[in-house]
Amino acid sequence: MISIVCPVYNEQQSVGLFIKKMKEVMQCKNVGFEFLFIDDGSDDETLRTLREEKRNTPQIRIISFSRNFGKEAALTAGLKYAKGDAVIPIDVDMQDPPELVLKLLDEWQKGYQIVLAKRVDRNSDSYLKRLTAKGFYYFHNKMADHKIPENVGDFRLMGRVVVDHINELPETQRFMKGLFSWVGFKSSTINYARPCRENGESKFTFWKLWNLAIEGITSFSTIPLKIWTYIGVIVALLSFCYGVFIIALALLSGIDVPGYSSLIVIILFLGGIQLIGIGILGEYIGRIYMEAKQRPLYIIEKEY
């Protein structure tokens, strides 16, 4: 039994073509399968389209959220409610080729509990997105204790044992790519060139991607806090040396060091350093605050 988990948000133009193509692919394998769609509070006709598709495809299951909770919440729900011996999260925009699922299954049948799909060609993405993605993977893997595979998204295969362990994790501030990597297990990788999106447009704005990157780094590393400890020590030492220099100059020559402008620059510089440090502390404190409230990660309005 294979579970195809599909988070969707305003994808009414894509779901029909995706289901048709995915059914053709899955029928090439002599295995049972289900399509588990997580409607993340769509405000178009996505849910209605899925319900119409369900009439002709009994393998479809639909979970509808009460509002938009975000893709990480939708993925979490998909893993929780998936029934398969293997689970494959995939987007319906066809940028993750459905036919690649067959290769994922072949590797899984060789004994791998995780099979990663790595994008070796991202020319369908803009130059800015490719550049920022490369920067994120570089800095995340330099700072985090557990590295995430570069250019590997949510599209992958996970065996039942992997999914069960991920479902046991209690945190509500979830960076799923990091959690997928954190659990470990024997893995294999297949490469593919990512095609252009068939319909619609990406729901991830630059701001959302930026916040996701901050979420990923602060979820799996405390190095930003340590960095600002070292910066504080260095700035304090430089300030102490500069103070000794001023006192020595005044005692030896009897002349105060002029420089109102330089003094203002130093004050503003130190103030900026302090505000950045407070901001980084705020990111971690905010995570503690959100976890302490213990609110549910999502609310299910209805299942179909």
Side-chain angles (χ1 to χ4, degrees):
M1 178 68 169
I2 309 300
S3 293
I4 309 295
V5 173
C6 310
V8 289
Y9 176 64
N10 292 347
E11 296 284 3
Q12 68 179 55
Q13 297 178 337
S14 303
V15 291
L17 178 61
F18 171 81
I19 292 171
K20 179 182 178 182
K21 182 64 177 178
M22 186 57 75
K23 283 172 65 177
E24 294 174 356
V25 169
M26 295 307 298
Q27 287 167 358
C28 295
K29 280 283 186 180
N30 187 25
V31 294
F33 63 92
E34 65 170 358
F35 298 128
L36 179 56
F37 288 93
I38 314 298
D39 179 38
D40 190 17
S42 298
D43 51 23
D44 64 356
E45 297 299 319
T46 298
L47 181 58
R48 182 184 63 80
T49 304
L50 286 172
R51 293 179 65 184
E52 289 177 355
E53 291 287 345
K54 181 176 173 62
R55 296 172 186 171
N56 301 320
T57 309
Q59 295 94 340
I60 290 178
R61 295 168 56 208
I62 307 168
I63 294 175
S64 177
F65 283 175
S66 62
R67 64 170 176 84
N68 178 247
F69 285 90
K71 188 177 181 180
E72 307 301 285
L75 275 174
T76 300
L79 296 186
K80 180 178 179 181
Y81 287 91
K83 299 177 180 178
D85 300 301
V87 178
I88 303 175
I90 185 172
D91 293 332
V92 300
D93 57 14
M94 308 292 281
Q95 285 192 289
D96 300 327
E99 57 271 15
L100 209 62
V101 168
L102 299 178
K103 294 184 179 180
L104 297 179
L105 292 173
D106 288 340
E107 291 296 303
W108 174 58
Q109 290 171 342
K110 294 177 183 178
Y112 294 102
Q113 287 298 325
I114 297 177
V115 186
L116 307 174
K118 183 176 181 179
R119 310 162 190 164
V120 294
D121 184 354
R122 299 188 61 166
N123 288 328
S124 59
D125 295 332
S126 67
Y127 173 76
L128 179 61
K129 188 172 182 179
R130 295 197 303 269
L131 182 65
T132 53
K134 185 176 181 179
F136 165 72
Y137 285 114
Y138 175 80
F139 285 108
H140 181 279
N141 289 338
K142 284 292 184 182
M143 291 189 287
D145 296 330
H146 301 279
K147 294 176 173 55
I148 60 176
E150 187 172 352
N151 287 324
V152 175
D154 298 318
F155 181 40
R156 65 188 69 202
L157 180 146
M158 293 172 285
R160 185 75 252 172
V161 63
V162 178
V163 174
D164 288 342
H165 280 291
I166 293 175
N167 288 336
E168 290 174 357
L169 300 177
E171 59 206 75
T172 58
Q173 301 298 295
R174 300 171 77 88
F175 178 63
M176 297 305 291
K177 292 183 184 66
L179 296 181
F180 293 157
S181 175
W182 182 86
V183 293
F185 291 98
K186 186 180 180 182
S187 66
S188 176
T189 301
I190 60 174
N191 298 326
Y192 74 103
R194 197 179 197 202
C196 295
R197 187 182 175 99
E198 290 280 344
N199 293 294
E201 57 184 20
S202 174
K203 308 305 184 297
F204 276 100
T205 62
F206 177 80
W207 184 245
K208 287 183 178 179
L209 289 172
W210 171 261
N211 286 332
L212 184 63
I214 297 297
E215 186 85 15
I217 291 172
T218 55
S219 292
F220 290 90
S221 175
T222 58
I223 286 182
L225 294 174
K226 296 177 182 178
I227 288 175
W228 285 99
T229 300
Y230 298 137
I231 289 176
V233 171
I234 292 170
V235 170
L237 288 174
L238 291 176
S239 301
F240 175 77
C241 293
Y242 185 61
V244 171
F245 169 74
I246 291 176
I247 294 172
L249 192 62
L251 291 176
L252 295 175
S253 63
I255 300 174
D256 292 334
V257 177
Y260 172 77
S261 298
S262 61
L263 183 62
I264 291 298
V265 170
I266 291 172
I267 291 173
L268 292 177
F269 172 73
L270 293 177
I273 290 290
Q274 290 172 344
L275 289 175
I276 294 173
I278 291 172
I280 291 177
L281 283 172
E283 285 290 335
Y284 285 91
I285 294 172
R287 293 184 61 81
I288 296 171
Y289 171 67
M290 296 301 292
E291 293 287 347
K293 289 192 292 187
Q294 296 185 338
R295 288 178 182 171
L297 193 57
Y298 52 83
I299 297 174
I300 296 176
E301 181 177 0
K302 197 168 182 180
E303 297 184 43
Y304 300 92

